[in-house]
Amino acid sequence: MNFVNYYMPTKILLEEDVILNNSNLFHTYGDKALIVTGKTSSIVNGSLKDVTKALDKEGILYDVFNDVEENPSLETVENIAKLGISQKSNFMIGIGGGSPIDASKAAGVLINNPIATRYNLFNSPELKSLPVIAIPTTAGTGTETTPYSIVTDNELQTKHGICQKVFPEIALLDVKYLMFLPEKITINTSIDALSHLIEGYLSSKSNIMSDALAEKGLKLFGECLIMIREKDFNCLVREKLMLASTIAGMVIAQSGTSLPHRMGYALTYFHNIPHGKANGIFLKSYLEFCEDKNKVRKILYLLTLENLDELGNFINNILGYVDSVNYKDICSYADQVFLNKIKLKNHPTPVTREDILKIYNDSLKI
Ligand code: NAP
Ligand code: FE
């Protein structure tokens, strides 16, 4: 049996009105919060209002940074940090999709270490972040239960994770904030969660604990498959997808992601393809490439699918194709992916540049 190394310190609370019911918890982390969120969705879905109401009730002061873009840049992280340092914030509340929550984790490191720069985010793993409270309003990234923060580095023209491990202290989950998540975002983000479950389950770092979680997450996703295909997102489906996403975060917190995620970064950076779609497009070819056929069969079984063609059809039907990429592009992207030995190590067997190129080619049908 594989050596088991399982660590996931985030307290998870899922209930109706979770923020207002648990406002007393905020006191544990300080008396000055910095709320980090996107431009509009947290106002529209009511999560921002619930947080400020809870903080007012507890007499905790706060500032709001509400300008986090999708795939947050290092410049945005630095702007959040400037605000937090000037306002002497002592804990972070990230509300939104993965972008604001990830930005709050990275900015929390810079605020807690005011002389640190963006260089330290990739070179000083010992730095600690301020405490982070995560309130996810998409069901996809699972960042509320992972230690990762993925940022866009415009100098290197790619996305990559900071080197500090920042598990949120608490994840507050309430499906009411997701009820009006647009269809496209619901689909793209659900496929991100599916990619986490699949990549985590097949990872060289998977173990009995992460596998048990991945299997439960895949089963939950399988129960939603027909409704996703029919774009019928009722409350129960949304709640199952939210749970599957949070569980998928717990899986990749142990095992990391591997090829589809690393390969998707170029599609997002250079072709503006949303994160979930950018990974999901590779899943069928990736599973064809994987040698552990027992696990591949188990994935299909849990998803209630007969074979990989059915998975490919499901994904293409809901995500559509990517047609803006040419052969010269994928040669250059394959070179970049091949250089990232850490992600390659998460795949259980040796991977060549030609393997990566083939997955790009087969998935994008160039
Ligand atoms: P996102 O980039 O955070 O948000 C996408 C869009 O959804 C934004 O326009 C946002 O609007 C909107 N939105 C969010 N919640 C909404 C709601 N409840 N109703 C309506 N609209 C809503 O999307 P995401 O897919 O969740 O996050 C992607 C990021 O997470 C990427 O940078 C990815 O690399 C990262 N990621 C991180 C991890 C990790 O472990 N840390 C894992 C996977 C992915 P507003 O801008 O107005 O809020
Ligand atoms: Fe992801």
Side-chain angles (χ1 to χ4, degrees):
M1 188 179 290
N2 283 352
F3 173 69
V4 175
N5 183 345
Y6 180 84
Y7 181 66
M8 209 302 286
T10 304
K11 181 185 182 85
I12 303 169
L13 296 173
L14 186 162
E15 63 178 85
E16 207 182 323
D17 296 326
V18 69
I19 295 173
L20 297 168
N21 291 349
N22 295 282
S23 61
N24 59 322
L25 289 177
F26 290 140
H27 278 298
T28 322
Y29 305 105
D31 52 17
K32 188 93 194 277
L34 178 53
I35 300 170
V36 177
T37 189
K39 289 189 174 66
T40 50
S41 70
S42 63
I43 299 172
V44 176
N45 66 39
S47 50
L48 180 58
K49 184 89 201 142
D50 284 353
V51 168
T52 55
K53 214 161 137 186
L55 293 171
D56 286 339
K57 180 175 155 213
E58 300 297 329
I60 297 173
L61 300 174
Y62 58 85
D63 297 284
V64 182
F65 184 100
N66 64 347
D67 202 16
V68 180
E69 74 279 32
E70 292 181 37
N71 308 296
S73 64
L74 280 167
E75 290 75 17
T76 295
V77 169
E78 287 168 339
N79 287 336
I80 300 167
K82 257 185 228 152
L83 177 64
I85 291 168
S86 71
Q87 296 303 316
K88 302 192 170 32
S89 313
N90 44 34
F91 69 106
M92 314 293 290
I93 303 177
I95 311 174
S99 298
I101 297 176
D102 279 9
S104 72
K105 292 179 179 179
V109 173
L110 295 181
I111 299 168
N112 202 30
N113 303 277
I115 57 167
T117 65
R118 61 166 68 180
Y119 171 86
N120 299 99
L121 289 175
F122 304 101
N123 294 284
S124 308
E126 72 286 358
L127 297 183
K128 301 270 175 276
S129 171
L130 291 180
V132 174
I133 294 173
I135 302 173
T137 65
T138 60
T141 73
T143 182
E144 65 276 12
T145 49
T146 78
Y148 313 124
S149 162
I150 316 293
V151 292
T152 298
D153 186 331
N154 288 312
E155 280 167 25
L156 296 181
Q157 294 198 312
T158 188
K159 295 168 59 171
H160 53 149
I162 65 171
C163 68
Q164 293 80 23
K165 294 206 178 320
V166 188
F167 276 108
E169 299 289 327
I170 328 178
L172 298 174
L173 312 184
D174 190 336
V175 74
K176 77 178 174 189
Y177 304 127
L178 283 80
M179 286 315 294
F180 300 101
L181 191 64
E183 213 171 81
K184 252 209 169 107
I185 303 179
T186 304
I187 289 171
N188 288 334
T189 48
S190 75
I191 296 298
D192 189 23
L194 177 63
S195 306
H196 297 161
L197 292 166
I198 290 178
E199 291 174 50
Y201 192 50
L202 293 165
S203 164
S204 54
K205 291 198 220 137
S206 68
N207 61 43
I208 190 167
M209 303 287 279
S210 62
D211 279 358
L213 289 163
E215 288 177 9
K216 183 65 191 172
L218 286 162
K219 185 162 185 307
L220 279 167
F221 194 94
E223 288 167 11
C224 300
L225 205 91
I226 293 173
M227 279 74 90
I228 297 174
R229 190 185 282 138
E230 290 173 2
K231 303 185 174 119
D232 177 12
F233 299 112
N234 61 30
C235 185
L236 184 64
V237 171
R238 289 197 183 274
E239 199 158 69
K240 282 187 180 180
L241 289 175
M242 192 168 72
L243 259 182
S245 165
T246 300
I247 289 172
M250 295 163 78
V251 173
I252 59 167
Q254 317 307 315
S255 62
T257 54
S258 64
L259 288 183
H261 263 69
R262 186 59 190 87
M263 293 175 65
Y265 288 166
L267 299 190
T268 298
Y269 192 86
F270 293 107
H271 302 270
N272 210 17
I273 306 292
H275 175 70
K277 179 170 178 175
N279 315 315
I281 214 91
F282 299 117
L283 285 178
K284 181 193 171 205
S285 309
Y286 179 62
L287 287 171
E288 280 168 347
F289 169 68
C290 287
E291 283 180 14
D292 190 341
K293 298 301 172 203
N294 282 335
K295 274 196 163 178
V296 172
R297 267 193 296 276
K298 186 82 192 241
I299 290 169
L300 290 170
Y301 168 76
L302 292 165
L303 292 177
T304 68
L305 293 168
E306 291 285 324
N307 50 46
L308 286 177
D309 283 340
E310 260 197 36
L311 177 71
N313 290 340
F314 166 71
I315 288 179
N316 287 335
N317 275 339
I318 57 167
L319 291 183
Y321 293 89
V322 172
D323 53 15
S324 57
V325 186
N326 62 37
Y327 190 71
K328 195 167 155 236
D329 293 333
I330 63 170
C331 290
S332 135
Y333 304 159
D335 290 340
Q336 288 302 315
V337 174
F338 188 61
L339 285 176
N340 189 319
K341 302 297 177 203
I342 295 176
K343 280 272 191 275
L344 296 197
K345 261 200 347 252
N346 287 351
H347 184 79
T349 53
V351 180
T352 65
R353 177 189 175 277
E354 281 58 46
D355 294 329
I356 299 166
L357 194 58
K358 182 167 179 349
I359 298 174
Y360 267 122
N361 208 14
D362 291 352
S363 306
L364 300 171
K365 305 196 183 350
I366 291 169

